[in-house]
Amino acid sequence: MAVRNHPRGGNNGVVSVVILGSGFQSGAAAKLVRSGQPDILGTQVQVAASGESLATTLDLTARALGDWDVVVVNPGSQATTLPCGFTMTSS
């Protein structure tokens, strides 16, 4: 499993993002992680039948600016991380 794109979003509300990669499975979870900050959990996660993309909704309201790690966890706890894979911008 791998994540290979670098989405971005503003910290003024809810955004929908598509994470590109490979090996994503139905039932996968997605989140943004940054040291010293609470995780941002993806909701309404939808995995493409090909397993090459994952769409999710993230609430970025008032979150810290800068780079966050993108973490995708397949059922069975197989996880992959793209360090600094999401950029939080000011709105």
Side-chain angles (χ1 to χ4, degrees), residues 1 26 29 31 35 38 44 47 49 54 56-57 68 70 76:
M1 183 169 65
S26 179
K31 62 183 176 180
S35 180
Q44 303 174 1
V47 176
L54 175 153
T56 190
T57 302
W68 290 67
V70 176

Side-chain angles (χ1 to χ4, degrees), residues 6-91:
H6 190 113
R8 62 181 53 237
N11 68 344
N12 68 337
V14 176
V15 298
S16 296
V17 298
V18 175
I19 300 168
L20 303 177
S22 61
F24 302 146
Q25 299 174 1
S26 179
K31 62 183 176 180
L32 302 180
V33 177
R34 183 172 172 176
S35 180
Q37 300 292 321
D39 294 352
I40 302 172
L41 304 177
T43 60
Q44 303 174 1
V45 177
Q46 298 178 340
V47 176
S50 67
E52 295 179 355
S53 67
L54 175 153
T56 190
T57 302
L58 301 164
D59 186 353
L60 307 180
T61 305
R63 296 305 188 112
L65 302 179
D67 291 332
W68 290 67
D69 296 343
V70 176
V71 179
V72 176
V73 182
N74 275 334
S77 299
Q78 177 192 12
T80 190
T81 301
L82 178 61
C84 300
F86 185 94
T87 301
M88 190 84 60
T89 61
S90 61
S91 304

